[in-house]
Amino acid sequence: MPVIALTSRLLYLALLSVPGAAFAADALSLEEAKAAFRLAIDAEIHKHASKPSPSLLVATMLESMKIAAVQGCQPVDEVQTTCILKIEGSIGDDYTALRFRRDGTQWRVVEEKDIDAPQPTLARAQDLVRGHLSDLASQEQDPKTAAQYKEFATSLTVTALESCRLERDSDAVECHADLDTPSQGKGSKPLRFRLQGTNWSLLPD
C-alpha cells in the first residue's frame, strides 16, 4: 500500500477509537428545564384545545411528554442557551435540542422550528482530535506509527464543521469535518461529539 494511502488510513482509524472526556456541570438545571418545558406544553395544549375539533390523542400525547434529563447546554448569548435534552413520552423516548431564554429569574422555551444542535467550536474540535492522536502516540509500540500520530497531533487542523445534527436515539452530535495536515493535505470525515454539562468530548464511531 502506498505511504500516503497508509497514513491516511491510519489517521482515519485513529479517529474511530476516541475515548471519552471529563464531564462538567449542567448550565441549566433539570428542574429549571422541566418548569420551562411544562409552561410550553401547557400553552400548546391550550392552543390545541381551542381548535374546532381538538384531538384527544394529541392532547394525551402532549400531556405525557416530559424532560427526563438535561444532557448539556451551550450559551447562545447573554440570555439564551441551547440544550440537548432527553424527552420521555407515550410514543417513546428520544433526544432533542431546545433553546431557552432567561426571563427574569425564570427560563422559558423559545418557540422556534428547526433549532440547530449545539456544536463545538473549531478550536475545541481541533483540540479534542489532537489530544486523542497524542494519546494514541504515547500508547503506540511501533516507533514509525507513533511518529505519524505525533505529527498528526501537532499539525492537524479542523478547518470546518458542517451539517451538524443531533442523533435522536442518542445524545451524540455528528458533524461533517474538513481536516487538513501538511503531510497529507485536505480530507474529510464525520466526527461525533458529546456535550455533557458544558464540556465537549469526542466519541468513537
Side-chain angles (χ1 to χ4, degrees), residues 44-55 58 62:
E44 191 63 30
I45 291 175
H46 178 74
K47 187 188 304 181
H48 175 76
S50 64
K51 293 181 178 180
S53 301
S55 167
V58 172
L62 289 171

XYZ file of all heavy atoms in Angstrom, residues 44-55 58 62:
107
model
N -49.221 24.851 24.589
C -49.560 24.113 23.366
C -50.870 23.349 23.532
O -51.692 23.289 22.608
C -48.426 23.138 23.037
C -48.507 22.503 21.658
C -48.393 23.516 20.533
O -47.721 24.558 20.728
O -48.980 23.274 19.462
N -51.079 22.770 24.712
C -52.336 22.062 24.983
C -53.510 23.038 24.930
O -54.568 22.730 24.368
C -52.275 21.356 26.357
C -51.285 20.181 26.305
C -53.653 20.856 26.770
C -51.069 19.501 27.645
N -53.332 24.218 25.515
C -54.393 25.242 25.491
C -54.687 25.681 24.058
O -55.855 25.840 23.670
C -53.958 26.452 26.332
C -54.970 27.562 26.327
N -56.148 27.497 27.034
C -54.963 28.778 25.680
C -56.841 28.609 26.818
N -56.150 29.389 26.015
N -53.624 25.848 23.266
C -53.797 26.236 21.866
C -54.553 25.152 21.096
O -55.426 25.437 20.277
C -52.423 26.476 21.236
C -52.458 27.045 19.822
C -51.063 27.056 19.208
C -50.075 27.828 20.063
N -48.712 27.860 19.438
N -54.192 23.893 21.360
C -54.848 22.780 20.673
C -56.320 22.664 21.085
O -57.188 22.390 20.247
C -54.108 21.481 20.996
C -54.764 20.250 20.436
N -54.686 19.900 19.106
C -55.528 19.296 21.037
C -55.355 18.788 18.896
N -55.877 18.398 20.048
N -56.585 22.869 22.385
C -57.960 22.729 22.886
C -58.896 23.774 22.298
O -60.112 23.570 22.244
C -57.963 22.822 24.411
N -58.352 24.918 21.859
C -59.181 25.989 21.307
C -59.576 25.748 19.852
O -60.356 26.509 19.282
C -58.438 27.327 21.414
O -57.259 27.308 20.621
N -59.042 24.675 19.254
C -59.396 24.366 17.870
C -60.829 23.837 17.792
O -61.345 23.269 18.765
C -58.419 23.329 17.307
C -56.995 23.843 17.139
C -56.092 22.772 16.557
C -54.670 23.303 16.348
N -53.782 22.263 15.785
N -61.474 23.962 16.626
C -62.863 23.496 16.469
C -63.033 22.009 16.795
O -64.036 21.619 17.398
C -63.163 23.778 14.993
C -62.237 24.895 14.633
C -60.993 24.659 15.419
N -62.078 21.189 16.392
C -62.186 19.746 16.654
C -60.878 19.239 17.256
O -60.071 18.592 16.582
C -62.498 18.993 15.354
O -63.696 19.431 14.781
N -60.635 19.523 18.531
C -59.387 19.089 19.163
C -59.309 17.565 19.254
O -60.320 16.887 19.448
C -59.453 19.724 20.547
C -60.907 19.914 20.811
C -61.503 20.233 19.476
N -58.114 17.045 19.089
C -57.905 15.597 19.150
C -57.491 15.200 20.566
O -56.524 15.740 21.122
C -56.822 15.184 18.151
O -56.401 13.858 18.386
N -53.880 13.753 20.510
C -52.811 14.754 20.502
C -52.643 15.350 21.899
O -51.515 15.520 22.389
C -53.105 15.861 19.478
C -52.091 17.000 19.616
C -53.071 15.301 18.068
N -49.245 15.127 24.164
C -48.571 16.309 24.691
C -48.456 16.248 26.208
O -47.413 16.569 26.788
C -49.334 17.573 24.281
C -49.258 17.973 22.807
C -50.236 19.103 22.518
C -47.846 18.403 22.439
